[in-house]
């Protein structure tokens, strides 16, 4: 496959994945209230990485910011850190990927330099995608464990305490104990998973483009053995001997 096709495809996928990762990080619907078994609900609750929100039946939405670092669990902070790292790496990879495109001729950059930049962007895209997938998976795992324990208790299992602090003081995954609401996967999780997967694919395409560019460059400029001349300047003695021979012939 042509290097330009791989580069352009990886660049486009990288942009889409970076946009999805940014959107997922900013969304407040990482976990939403589970409405199963409820006939009428006057308040709809959903939670994100930065805010907890509630929407009433009248359509009014109120959000509570999640400030501070010490009031949340390590898993919740890890999800935040992974998503931030993923966003930063994906944006940097997109910027580097722009200058590594072979179709751009605005700079007199060598193909080898563009190949290295393409590989760097591909590695950044792949790492960003893994960070996004890992962050969403950690959050989803906490939702699953919280949901199971909450459901077991609501049906008379007998766990004491409150699962609102499962991910950190109610600002993350909250499970309902003693009739409190339980939460399930929100749209932001799926956006993060899809965006991370797209970034990984884009990173692979950029890495393949690096290999193809290097291969084409080797075929275009094969190794040539340079053999220097044995003598670059003639010996003055030869001029003298040749001059003497000419004089003798003239005589």
């Amino acid at each position: 496959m042509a290097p330009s096709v791989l580069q352009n495809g990886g660049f486009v996928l990288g942009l889409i994945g970076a946009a999805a990762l940014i959107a997922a990080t900013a969304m407040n619907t990482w976990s939403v209230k589970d409405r199963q078994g409820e006939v009428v609900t006057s308040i709809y609750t959903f939670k994100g990485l930065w805010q907890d929100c509630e929407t009433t039946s009248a359509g009014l939405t109120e959000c509570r910011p999640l400030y501070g670092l010490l009031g949340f669990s390590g898993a919740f902070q890890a999800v935040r850190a992974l998503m931030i790292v993923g966003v930063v790496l994906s944006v940097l990879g997109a910027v580097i990927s722009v200058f590594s495109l072979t179709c751009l001729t605005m700079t007199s950059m060598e193909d080898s330099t563009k190949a290295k930049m393409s590989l760097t962007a591909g590695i950044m895209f792949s790492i960003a995608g893994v960070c996004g997938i890992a962050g969403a998976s950690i959050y989803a795992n906490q939702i699953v464990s919280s949901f199971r324990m909450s459901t077991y208790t609501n049906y008379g299992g007998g766990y004491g305490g409150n699962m609102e602090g499962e991910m950190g003081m109610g600002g993350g995954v909250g499970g309902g104990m003693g009739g409190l609401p339980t939460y399930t996967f929100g749209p932001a999780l799926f956006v993060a998973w899809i965006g991370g997967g797209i970034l990984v694919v884009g990173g692979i395409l950029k890495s393949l483009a690096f290999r193809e560019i290097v291969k084409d460059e080797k075929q275009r400029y094969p190794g040539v053995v340079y053999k220097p001349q044995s003598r670059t300047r003639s010996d003055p003695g030869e001029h003298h001997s040749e001059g003497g021979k000419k004089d003798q012939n003239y005589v």
Side-chain angles (χ1 to χ4, degrees):
M1 189 176 293
S4 59
V5 177
L6 293 173
Q7 272 204 329
N8 294 335
F11 174 66
V12 173
L13 291 179
L15 286 181
I16 296 175
L21 223 60
I22 293 172
T25 305
M27 291 172 67
N28 293 326
T29 54
W30 281 68
S31 59
V32 296
K33 182 180 179 181
D34 183 26
R35 296 184 176 183
Q36 184 177 2
E38 295 185 5
V39 180
V40 179
T41 56
S42 59
I43 297 178
Y44 178 64
T45 308
F46 48 96
K47 300 174 181 292
L49 298 181
W50 318 104
Q51 289 180 332
D52 286 352
C53 300
E54 290 184 351
T55 300
T56 62
S57 58
L60 300 177
T61 302
E62 296 183 358
C63 296
R64 177 173 64 89
L66 304 178
Y67 295 126
L69 296 174
L70 302 178
F72 305 100
S73 65
F76 187 65
Q77 295 291 5
V79 173
R80 280 180 166 182
L82 286 171
M83 296 306 297
I84 291 174
V85 171
V87 169
V88 172
L89 288 179
S90 61
V91 172
L92 289 178
V95 173
I96 295 174
S97 182
V98 171
F99 296 99
S100 68
L101 295 176
T102 56
C103 60
L104 294 180
T105 58
M106 59 183 178
T107 57
S108 58
M109 189 180 299
E110 297 181 357
D111 291 341
S112 60
T113 304
K114 288 188 176 183
K116 293 177 182 178
M117 294 178 67
S118 178
L119 179 62
T120 303
I123 294 174
M124 287 185 174
F125 282 157
S126 299
I127 296 176
V130 171
C131 287
I133 294 173
S137 299
I138 293 173
Y139 198 96
N141 181 64
Q142 296 296 319
I143 291 178
V144 172
S145 60
S146 176
F147 184 85
R148 288 177 178 176
M149 296 180 67
S150 301
T151 305
Y152 181 71
T153 301
N154 287 337
Y155 281 96
Y159 279 101
N162 193 342
M163 283 299 295
E164 284 290 334
E166 179 69 26
M167 288 285 283
M169 293 186 65
V173 181
M177 287 297 191
L180 293 177
T182 57
Y183 292 85
T184 184
F185 294 172
L189 283 176
F190 299 100
V191 174
W193 276 324
I194 295 173
I198 292 175
L199 279 171
V200 171
V201 175
I204 293 174
L205 292 180
K206 296 291 288 184
S207 301
L208 292 176
F210 162 77
R211 188 181 64 177
E212 294 296 329
I213 293 174
V214 173
K215 185 187 300 182
D216 289 350
E217 188 176 6
K218 289 181 179 179
Q219 294 177 355
R220 190 182 307 171
Y221 304 105
V224 178
V225 179
Y226 176 72
K227 295 181 179 180
Q229 297 180 357
S230 59
R231 289 182 297 180
T232 57
R233 296 179 61 184
S234 59
D235 191 358
E238 293 181 359
H239 285 285
H240 179 70
S241 60
E242 290 178 358
K245 290 180 181 179
K246 291 181 179 179
D247 293 340
Q248 290 176 3
N249 292 333
Y250 178 76
V251 174

